[in-house]
Amino acid sequence: MLEFTPPPRAAEFSELIAKRLEEVKSSGDTRESVTIDWNGQPYHVEVIDLPLNGLYYNPGTHRIRAQRSHNPVRDKALEKDPWSAESQEYLEFLLQAEPADPDRRDSAFDKLKDDLQKFGQNDPGLVTRHGILVNGNTRAAALREIGAQSMRVGVLPESFTWVDINAVELSLQLREDHRRDYTYINRLLAMEEQASLGRTPEAIAKEFRIQKRTYFQERWILGTIRDLIDRSKSGGSVALRLVDFENDQEKLKELHRLYEKLESVDRDQAEVLKEWRLAAILLDFAKTDIRHIDETFFEKGYLDDSLPESLNVSSAAVQQEAVAVPGLGMSVPASSSAVSAARALNDQILRAKATARSAESELPDGEKSQAQDIVDSARAAFDKAIDAAGRDARVRKRQQLAPARLAEACADIDQCVVDLVQARATRSLDEEAFDEAVLRLRGSLRKLAQQAGRGLPHPGDGVAWLLAAATAEGS
């Protein structure tokens, strides 16, 4: 849970808020209020006008929690002093940026700005007694850009702590009428924060309107992302960022489903496929391509045949050491060589990807170029392996298509038997239509027999029966 000291001139701004609230109460006019959810109950707070130049963006907002990792240097400065002009400018920049690519301006922000310019502010924001925006950070940024001088805001009670503030922001976001969803990674971070406060999985799942199993899936995904970020560090501040995984929601969910299915059967195979799929995600393959990395992909060894020598870490070359259990004086076997080889390959890709996309000016161009070469080489290898797996999968599908069609036809005939009995019992059978359908079946079986008998010198029992039946029926 993030805690922040009061901003500069907090006491002075708190006094201004108190005066404005008192003026609203004593005016006798109709008072505007905004309703928040507090401890499961509706809570009404007064709405007043406050000068925009005195309001602070909330450094703890869930709206851009993941996007803060876009620039690690500015993020560290923000953690050190969230109220400085530089930190507030960074927050404003992120509020205007596209969530998955903060280097680009978000078109949704421009639409919000145009709407505010045409129609004004419809819904009030929400602030603390120190002037920190709890809800309405993006609106404040848009209002400032169009030159507005003030903003309508509801004021939270003076007793609210940062735990209360974050809970209120979360409840407002998760209302069914919310206007703009948290991005995927920010939702994961919000769930993690709620768990750190001691809330049960059942309570968190209910709050986020998801099933309990989905909650555990989301926590597994966030843990996997954090592990990838740690493994991508190659010295200094060069590493992947949370924001780098914003567009990978469905790919990561499919990975979790595959891993969960395989883990109880063959944990090593599950771990290898997990590493390979994560590598394919990092290399920006489409979801439909990544699906080819499955049990057959593992068994056929498509990737082993495609990797260049520079990336091919053979299983035999990986040194395995037992893992000591602290305090017990015993060791347990390490991961299998296949798992270690898959992790070693993925580690190379992780570090190269982090270096290639880093904005660090201190990194030599040659190092970035070398990293990009590794990424390109790995992508070419995975592309070749996935293409081979896809071709074989299409062949297998064609091979299995005819038997599958016949199995479906058998199921339909079995159901026809039931329908026929019921129709006769109720005397509702259309005998003429049924007879015509049987004649069509005879014609279809003749054509099937003609094709099934071609090129088979020694047909199996099923095909032999079909040929004999067709011959007998013809004679």
Side-chain angles (χ1 to χ4, degrees):
M1 170 61 70
L2 299 173
E3 296 275 351
F4 302 98
T5 57
R9 300 174 60 192
E12 181 183 336
F13 204 74
S14 182
E15 187 177 342
L16 171 64
I17 289 174
K19 286 181 180 179
R20 294 279 173 94
L21 288 171
E22 187 59 38
E23 288 172 0
V24 167
K25 290 178 182 178
S26 60
S27 66
D29 297 332
T30 303
R31 287 150 58 180
E32 182 184 6
S33 65
V34 61
T35 303
I36 61 173
D37 296 322
W38 175 237
N39 286 334
Q41 300 293 326
Y43 190 95
H44 307 287
V45 298
E46 301 284 352
V47 174
I48 59 175
D49 264 18
L50 287 177
L52 267 170
N53 60 9
L55 298 177
Y56 287 91
Y57 298 119
N58 179 7
T61 179
H62 300 89
R63 171 78 60 206
I64 51 173
R65 185 75 59 84
Q67 283 66 35
R68 283 178 47 177
S69 64
H70 171 65
N71 188 319
V73 175
R74 297 185 76 177
D75 189 34
K76 283 184 180 178
L78 191 150
E79 286 182 0
K80 186 176 181 180
D81 184 5
W83 315 118
S84 69
E86 293 78 11
S87 296
Q88 288 289 302
E89 284 174 8
Y90 184 45
L91 290 172
E92 186 171 75
F93 162 75
L94 294 176
L95 289 165
Q96 299 174 9
E98 197 172 282
D101 185 4
D103 285 324
R104 300 172 59 182
R105 187 176 170 96
D106 191 358
S107 59
F109 178 82
D110 289 324
K111 288 180 182 177
L112 172 64
K113 187 183 75 169
D114 293 342
D115 185 78
L116 287 169
Q117 197 156 23
K118 289 178 183 177
F119 307 108
Q121 182 187 354
N122 293 324
D123 301 316
L126 201 64
V127 296
T128 69
R129 291 291 175 126
H130 293 154
I132 302 166
L133 286 156
V134 177
N135 188 40
N137 284 271
T138 311
R139 269 172 286 166
L143 286 167
R144 281 173 172 163
E145 194 157 299
I146 64 176
Q149 300 300 307
S150 63
M151 181 178 181
R152 286 173 30 253
V153 290
V155 182
L156 292 175
E158 195 168 3
S159 61
F160 269 38
T161 65
W162 275 102
V163 173
D164 302 326
I165 290 167
N166 281 290
V168 167
E169 187 208 0
L170 191 62
S171 68
L172 285 169
Q173 170 58 30
L174 295 178
R175 282 180 178 176
E176 291 187 354
D177 61 346
H178 58 257
R179 298 195 170 200
R180 186 183 176 193
D181 289 336
Y182 286 157
T183 63
Y184 179 58
I185 302 299
N186 286 324
R187 280 180 65 86
L188 301 186
L189 293 173
M191 289 182 201
E192 180 185 57
E193 181 183 274
Q194 292 297 299
S196 72
L197 296 174
R199 301 194 66 193
T200 64
E202 292 82 3
I204 298 172
K206 183 178 179 181
E207 179 118 35
F208 281 80
R209 297 180 177 86
I210 58 176
Q211 296 182 0
K212 183 179 173 182
R213 61 192 173 116
T214 305
Y215 164 77
F216 286 116
Q217 180 189 62
E218 305 289 41
R219 294 303 307 276
W220 183 90
I221 288 172
L222 182 58
T224 299
I225 290 173
R226 290 198 186 282
D227 177 57
L228 292 176
I229 291 173
D230 287 341
R231 289 164 58 189
S232 72
K233 293 176 181 175
S234 53
S237 58
V238 177
L240 291 174
R241 310 157 302 172
L242 287 168
V243 71
D244 293 329
F245 298 90
E246 278 289 11
N247 290 328
D248 299 325
Q249 175 178 352
E250 290 305 318
K251 299 175 189 177
L252 291 166
K253 287 190 172 185
E254 287 194 4
L255 166 62
H256 176 261
R257 288 193 288 270
L258 176 69
Y259 182 83
E260 202 172 46
K261 182 182 79 171
L262 297 178
E263 186 187 20
S264 58
V265 180
D266 187 339
R267 184 176 178 83
D268 283 351
Q269 185 185 62
E271 289 290 339
V272 171
L273 289 174
K274 173 186 170 185
E275 293 296 330
W276 286 348
R277 281 207 173 194
L278 287 172
I281 291 171
L282 291 165
L283 295 169
D284 299 322
F285 280 94
K287 180 172 61 176
T288 51
D289 290 332
I290 294 174
R291 286 175 185 159
H292 290 303
I293 304 176
D294 56 11
E295 301 95 309
T296 305
F297 190 91
F298 176 85
E299 292 164 3
K300 297 280 189 179
Y302 292 110
L303 191 59
D304 294 336
D305 299 333
S306 305
L307 283 173
E309 191 174 340
S310 58
L311 290 174
N312 197 350
V313 183
S314 66
S315 300
V318 179
Q319 296 296 321
Q320 296 297 307
E321 294 182 2
V323 179
V325 181
L328 296 182
M330 59 180 292
S331 299
V332 296
S335 301
S336 74
S337 57
V339 175
S340 298
R343 283 183 64 88
L345 169 64
N346 204 8
D347 285 343
Q348 291 184 74
I349 297 171
L350 281 163
R351 289 191 288 268
K353 186 80 173 180
T355 302
R357 69 167 41 177
S358 173
E360 291 284 329
S361 57
E362 297 177 1
L363 283 176
D365 290 339
E367 189 174 338
K368 282 191 175 184
S369 177
Q370 185 179 4
Q372 188 60 53
D373 288 343
I374 293 174
V375 172
D376 292 342
S377 179
R379 180 171 174 82
F382 269 81
D383 189 45
K384 182 179 178 182
I386 289 172
D387 184 57
R391 286 198 308 271
D392 287 356
R394 289 190 291 274
V395 170
R396 288 195 303 274
K397 186 175 181 180
R398 286 196 298 270
Q399 292 171 340
Q400 297 165 3
L401 195 56
R405 297 272 193 197
L406 200 53
E408 289 177 8
C410 291
D412 287 339
I413 291 174
D414 290 341
Q415 183 59 45
C416 178
V417 174
V418 177
D419 295 340
L420 180 61
V421 171
Q422 291 177 347
R424 278 182 172 162
T426 58
R427 299 180 181 276
S428 59
L429 177 64
D430 186 340
E431 294 184 3
E432 186 177 344
F434 182 73
D435 192 62
E436 289 179 1
V438 172
L439 289 174
R440 287 198 300 272
L441 173 62
R442 182 180 67 178
S444 297
L445 287 174
R446 281 177 177 172
K447 287 187 282 187
L448 180 62
Q450 289 173 358
Q451 297 302 323
R454 288 183 176 177
L456 289 177
H458 305 290
D461 292 344
V463 175
W465 171 86
L466 178 62
L467 295 174
T471 302
E473 194 276 336
S475 63

